[in-house]
């Protein structure tokens, strides 16, 4: 059989990160390529206890169909949490539950973008979102990242010159892949430009509670007095990635369209994980748990940075994130980045080539992304030493 795939899917390539994870699963490879939360952050005993109590006390609710908008007690709790903890959410907004933040991103695109419409993205940016946008048939326009967020002048130029711009996609806090946090000044500028040109903002904030240094910065959604911002969050990095519970906060009219779109995908997010998330927020020491995660990532980030400085010295430059899971490392211009990544993989250290995160993968890029949450401390020490040795093989360290 000769298969003819749809135009939206035929040209789409697998996620490089997912392919790397498949290729290295079960092998003795140091996983700097992953983006998984540290296993030691999972509240396993609490999840076991909560699951047992749910199945004993209210099994039907946990195992039956639910409404598409999500488990009402969880929605109410999250709404209050965003209002009190982030000053985020207006009376005109509504919160609903999705199957991971990725679905919230995909539904936003489905609701707002026709084939050929334009989405403006940070470049580099999260490959999962870029692939969702590509699958919709949207045109992607990248705006370069500076040390404090998007290049605002180039963002406005794109808004002025590109046709049918429907979304500005940003990850303002501890961005994947760079670890950069967008400054308050630039967050305000992005919102003002969205207002000026009548464009929606998709604010992706999966790492927002994982700050381990510096002061919190207001969400763009907290500035939203005109219903321009769709805010997406997740339990993946604070509870469990495998439970696939995320949420969207957006104007009521937008949420209602997204709910209809979700009904055509999975009807509703699984009920048991939603109830677990609710109990996690209301019957567990949520604040203490978040604090413990921050402590772990503060230590792991500092360890990776110290080992980079020790083994690679001034040969590379890299970001110093205030939170999240990632570092972005720039190799010397004359090192062939893909060859470096392949050599590192052959030495048992998996990294992600920076080109994977570009809007246009043909653009020059000499960076790699490193993840410090997934590997153990021992793997971080050993892995960075090996990366330094690989650099030595190119005669540049």
């Amino acid at each position: 059989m000769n298969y003819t795939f749809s135009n939206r899917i035929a040209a789409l390539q697998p996620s490089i990160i997912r392919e790397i994870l498949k290729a290295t699963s079960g092998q003795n490879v140091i996983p700097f390529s992953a983006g998984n939360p540290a296993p030691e952050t999972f509240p396993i005993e609490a999840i076991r206890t909560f699951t047992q109590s749910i199945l004993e006390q209210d099994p039907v609710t946990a195992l039956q169909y639910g409404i598409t908008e999500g488990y009402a007690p969880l929605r109410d709790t999250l709404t209050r949490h965003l209002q009190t903890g982030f000053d985020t959410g207006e009376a005109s907004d509504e919160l609903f539950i999705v199957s991971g933040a990725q679905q919230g991103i995909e539904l936003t695109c489905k609701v707002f973008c026709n084939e050929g419409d334009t989405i403006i993205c940070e470049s580099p940016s999260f490959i999962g979102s870029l692939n969702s946008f590509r699958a919709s048939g949207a045109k992607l326009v990248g705006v370069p990242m500076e040390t404090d967020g998007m290049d605002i002048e180039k963002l406005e130029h794109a808004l002025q010159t590109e046709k049918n711009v429907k979304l500005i996609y940003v990850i303002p806090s501890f961005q994947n892949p760079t670890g950069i946090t967008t400054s308050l000044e630039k967050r305000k500028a992005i919102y003002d430009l969205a207002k000026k040109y009548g464009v929606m903002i998709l604010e992706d904030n999966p790492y927002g509670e994982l700050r381990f240094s510096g002061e919190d910065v207001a969400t763009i959604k907290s500035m939203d007095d005109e219903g321009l911002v769709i805010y997406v969050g997740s339990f993946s990095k604070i509870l469990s990635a495998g439970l696939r519970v995320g949420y969207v906060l957006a104007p009521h009219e937008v949420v209602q369209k997204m709910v209809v779109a979700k009904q055509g995908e999975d009807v509703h997010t699984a009920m048991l994980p939603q109830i677990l998330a609710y109990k996690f927020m209301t019957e567990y020491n949520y604040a203490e748990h978040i604090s413990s995660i921050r402590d772990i990532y503060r230590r792991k980030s500092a360890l990776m940075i110290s080992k980079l400085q020790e083994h690679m010295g001034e040969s590379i430059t890299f970001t110093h994130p205030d939170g999240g899971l990632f570092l972005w490392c720039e190799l010397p211009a004359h090192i062939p980045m893909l060859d470096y990544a392949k050599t590192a993989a052959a030495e048992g250290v998996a990294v992600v080539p920076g080109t994977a995160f570009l809007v246009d993968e043909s653009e020059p890029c000499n960076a790699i992304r490193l993840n410090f949450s997934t590997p153990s401390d021992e793997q971080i020490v050993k892995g960075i030493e090996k990366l330094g040795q690989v650099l030595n093989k190119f005669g540049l360290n």
Side-chain angles (χ1 to χ4, degrees):
M1 178 66 185
N2 292 321
Y3 299 104
T4 303
F5 296 109
S6 69
N7 292 336
R8 291 187 174 189
I9 294 299
L12 205 62
Q13 299 300 313
S15 161
I16 290 177
I17 300 169
R18 295 295 125 191
E19 294 303 302
I20 290 173
L21 290 175
K22 282 196 295 183
T24 59
S25 62
Q27 299 181 29
N28 189 26
V29 174
I30 295 173
F32 291 160
S33 58
N36 302 342
E40 60 266 37
T41 66
F42 298 153
I44 295 173
E45 288 303 317
I47 291 173
R48 181 180 291 117
T49 299
F50 288 149
T51 300
Q52 182 176 348
S53 69
I54 291 166
L55 294 179
E56 287 176 353
Q57 298 171 15
D58 194 9
V60 174
T61 300
L63 302 176
Q64 187 56 278
Y65 284 119
I67 64 171
T68 306
E69 288 85 349
Y71 184 57
L74 175 60
R75 295 170 65 205
D76 292 343
T77 300
L78 276 169
T79 299
R80 289 193 298 271
H81 178 66
L82 291 175
Q83 289 171 340
T84 58
F86 295 87
D87 192 28
T88 296
E90 300 288 337
S92 57
D93 288 322
E94 183 176 354
L95 186 145
F96 85 112
I97 307 300
V98 288
S99 299
Q102 181 72 39
Q103 186 180 49
I105 292 163
E106 190 272 339
L107 289 173
T108 300
C109 191
K110 181 177 284 187
V111 165
F112 280 99
C113 296
N114 295 312
E115 192 165 352
D117 286 342
T118 298
I119 300 175
I120 297 176
C121 310
E122 298 165 327
S123 189
S125 190
F126 173 47
I127 189 172
S129 297
L130 297 180
N131 274 342
S132 285
F133 302 152
R134 290 174 180 132
S136 74
K139 175 186 177 182
L140 303 188
V141 173
V143 174
M145 290 290 283
E146 300 178 316
T147 58
D148 61 345
M150 269 185 170
D151 183 321
I152 297 299
E153 287 187 8
K154 291 183 179 178
L155 171 59
E156 180 155 29
H157 178 74
L159 289 166
Q160 290 172 336
T161 58
E162 297 294 336
K163 296 180 179 179
N164 301 323
V165 178
K166 294 297 182 66
L167 295 171
I168 301 170
Y169 174 66
V170 291
I171 311 171
S173 296
F174 328 122
Q175 195 234 25
N176 181 0
T178 64
I180 289 171
T181 294
T182 299
S183 66
L184 179 61
E185 179 184 12
K186 283 198 171 180
R187 293 182 192 215
K188 291 178 178 177
I190 291 167
Y191 184 75
D192 288 342
L193 286 175
K195 185 186 297 187
K196 178 178 178 180
Y197 291 96
V199 176
M200 298 293 292
I201 295 171
L202 175 54
E203 181 177 12
D204 188 9
N205 195 27
Y207 317 107
E209 298 204 59
L210 301 183
R211 174 178 287 280
F212 49 71
S213 178
E215 298 295 325
D216 286 332
V217 184
T219 66
I220 300 175
K221 182 63 178 170
S222 69
M223 309 169 191
D224 188 19
D225 54 9
E226 294 200 10
L228 297 176
V229 182
I230 299 164
Y231 181 93
V232 179
S234 175
F235 284 93
S236 291
K237 306 304 185 291
I238 59 173
L239 175 57
S240 160
L243 290 177
R244 308 309 302 138
V245 179
Y247 53 91
V248 174
L249 180 72
H252 173 79
E253 186 177 352
V254 173
V255 166
Q256 290 308 300
K257 287 297 183 184
M258 295 177 77
V259 166
V260 173
K262 180 174 168 64
Q263 289 169 349
E265 294 188 359
D266 62 0
V267 183
H268 66 84
T269 300
M271 290 300 296
L272 179 58
Q274 289 191 70
I275 301 173
L276 281 171
Y278 168 68
K279 286 184 171 290
F280 169 67
M281 293 197 75
T282 58
E283 298 181 25
Y284 196 66
N285 193 329
Y286 181 87
E288 183 178 299
H289 177 73
I290 297 299
S291 179
S292 71
I293 296 176
R294 290 172 174 171
D295 288 343
I296 290 169
Y297 291 165
R298 182 183 299 111
R299 188 194 74 246
K300 286 194 164 195
S301 173
L303 178 61
M304 179 171 278
I305 287 172
S306 71
K307 292 302 170 181
L308 284 168
Q309 292 168 335
E310 177 182 347
H311 295 292
M312 304 175 84
E314 298 179 358
S315 300
I316 64 167
T317 59
F318 53 89
T319 54
H320 291 66
D322 290 326
L325 312 181
F326 305 107
L327 300 177
W328 184 250
C329 299
E330 294 277 354
L331 301 174
H334 42 294
I335 284 189
M337 181 270 295
L338 288 175
D339 289 345
Y340 179 86
K342 290 174 183 176
T343 305
E347 294 292 329
V349 184
V351 301
V352 186
T355 49
F357 304 98
L358 298 183
V359 168
D360 179 357
E361 294 182 6
S362 67
E363 288 182 4
C365 178
N366 226 41
I368 58 174
R369 190 194 74 175
L370 299 180
N371 165 255
F372 54 80
S373 62
T374 306
S376 66
D377 289 2
E378 293 76 15
Q379 287 177 319
I380 291 173
V381 171
K382 183 178 179 181
I384 297 301
E385 182 178 3
K386 283 192 172 187
L387 289 182
Q389 292 168 355
V390 171
L391 197 63
N392 275 328
K393 289 186 176 184
F394 288 85
L396 296 167
N397 190 24

